Amino acid sequence: TDAPVYDKVALIGLGLIASSMFWATRRAGLARVVSGYARSGETRETARRIGLCHEVCDTLEEAVADADLVVLAVPVGVMGAVAMAMAPYLKPGATVTDVGSVKRRVIEDVTPHIPEGVHFVPGHPLAGTEHSGPESGFSALFENRWCLLVPPESTDPAAVARLRRYWEGMGALVEEMDPDHHDLVLAVTSHTPHLIAYTMVGVADDLRRVTDSEVIKYSAAGFRDFTRIAASDPTMWRDVFLTNKDATLEILGRFTEELFALQRAIRTGDGDALHAYFTRTRAIRRGII
Ligand code: NAD
């Protein structure tokens, strides 16, 4: 158990990420008290029942009162609205962060609502599962996973350093990055793969009349491994594509070009082209642990 990094942490939105942050914070003793707020009464009830957070609050005001760190862990599309609603209750000197999967848009939406004297240090833990909601979290989620912080240049370095210590206390490896670069990198490594996984399942479902339920019944390693992420939360992923439009369209365009090239190679029986492509990608994939 490390020394507490913050006296009070407020978690706003009690889904997979926030609930994992609570268990990780408690395990490592990173805060004296963690408060939680979720918009739905049902989520708050569940949180109370399973002991998620030291206190579950019925209002944003109670949750963020006196908090040294406020974590926005809601879908990207509502970050701005939640920031606006909680702004009047933030303690001077507090830090606000977020865990959203898209960074440029969150910075644009949240920054105007941050009061003078409050620090905003946007972040994104590169860790998740296909599960969502208050019961899906676990304390080891962030262990040895990257957490990217994207603070604007004017941000107080002490606030950034403290947030870094907090994430490191939860087991994460922390790095700073430019928000636009973040959004492009994540479009390649996470956002577009999710879109492709959704289409794989969609196509299997469209073919249901032809294959009956065989696709599901016999789902082999390829389909099973590749489509696990298609079970992810629809609201979260809708917001990712609406808010990272340019980067995901750019990557989707490249993806489409490669697929067309492979399609042509298959149609024309160009085994050399297929073999060369798969040889190159195997080497790259083997380099990823
Ligand atoms: P989740 O669906 O498990 O939880 C989201 C929570 O936010 C729910 O409790 C929901 O009720 C609540 N919520 C929604 N609208 C709200 C509002 N207006 N006010 C208050 N609460 C509201 O989602 P999650 O996976 O924990 O994702 C939260 C954030 O973390 C998202 O921004 C997502 O992009 C990001 N993220 C997700 C993953 C992942 O793999 N799931 C990974 C990294 C970052």
Side-chain angles (χ1 to χ4, degrees):
T1 301
D2 303 307
V5 178
Y6 295 103
D7 188 55
K8 177 178 170 178
V9 171
L11 302 174
I12 310 304
L14 297 174
L16 169 71
I17 300 298
S19 58
S20 296
M21 289 181 77
F22 172 70
W23 299 121
T25 300
R26 196 182 72 163
R27 188 180 67 173
L30 299 169
R32 188 183 56 80
V33 55
V34 179
S35 64
Y37 168 81
R39 180 193 43 168
S40 105
E42 196 187 325
T43 302
R44 297 197 297 267
E45 268 324 296
T46 305
R48 288 189 181 106
R49 179 168 51 76
I50 65 174
L52 184 64
C53 296
H54 299 108
E55 51 185 33
V56 176
C57 304
D58 291 323
T59 64
L60 266 175
E61 179 174 1
E62 286 172 80
V64 308
D66 287 324
D68 304 286
L69 177 71
V70 177
V71 182
L72 296 171
V74 296
V76 171
V78 296
M79 293 276 184
V82 174
M84 182 167 76
M86 74 181 190
Y89 315 116
L90 294 170
K91 175 167 99 171
T95 293
V96 172
T97 188
D98 79 293
V99 295
S101 306
V102 177
K103 297 276 52 97
R104 170 58 60 196
R105 177 67 83 80
V106 169
I107 291 171
E108 282 170 15
D109 289 357
V110 170
T111 307
H113 304 297
I114 300 295
E116 194 71 34
V118 171
H119 312 286
F120 179 41
V121 186
H124 179 204
L126 307 189
T129 72
E130 68 278 27
H131 303 293
S132 51
E135 293 177 282
S136 59
F138 56 99
S139 66
L141 180 65
F142 309 112
E143 259 166 37
N144 292 315
R145 307 304 296 269
W146 290 105
C147 179
L148 302 177
L149 300 181
V150 299
E153 261 176 47
S154 57
T155 314
D156 175 15
V160 180
R162 200 169 172 195
L163 185 60
R164 172 189 279 270
R165 265 194 291 139
Y166 180 52
W167 277 108
E168 287 172 348
M170 290 190 282
L173 309 159
V174 179
E175 214 150 84
E176 287 181 39
M177 196 182 264
D178 165 81
D180 293 317
H181 190 65
H182 167 280
D183 289 355
L184 184 65
V185 169
L186 268 291
V188 182
T189 57
S190 171
H191 305 167
T192 309
H194 273 81
L195 198 71
I196 307 298
Y198 283 124
T199 64
M200 293 279 296
V201 176
V203 169
D205 188 53
D206 290 344
L207 288 173
R208 198 189 283 270
R209 251 170 302 116
V210 186
T211 63
D212 208 358
S213 312
E214 288 165 329
V215 171
I216 311 301
K217 183 173 171 188
Y218 300 120
S219 62
F223 188 85
R224 204 173 264 275
D225 293 349
F226 193 73
T227 59
R228 180 182 55 75
I229 55 179
S232 302
D233 185 70
T235 305
M236 171 192 155
W237 284 98
R238 175 200 62 194
D239 286 3
V240 166
F241 292 106
L242 292 177
T243 58
N244 198 18
K245 182 176 170 176
D246 294 345
T248 50
L249 285 178
E250 157 79 16
I251 300 306
L252 199 56
R254 288 169 185 248
F255 206 98
T256 310
E257 284 173 26
E258 305 263 312
L259 268 184
F260 274 133
L262 290 175
Q263 187 183 33
R264 190 178 322 110
I266 295 168
R267 186 186 298 119
T268 59
D270 189 347
D272 289 347
L274 293 172
H275 196 270
Y277 194 92
F278 300 156
T279 302
R280 179 166 68 91
T281 53
R282 177 170 74 171
I284 295 164
R285 181 60 183 86
R286 281 185 171 169
I288 305 171
I289 358 110

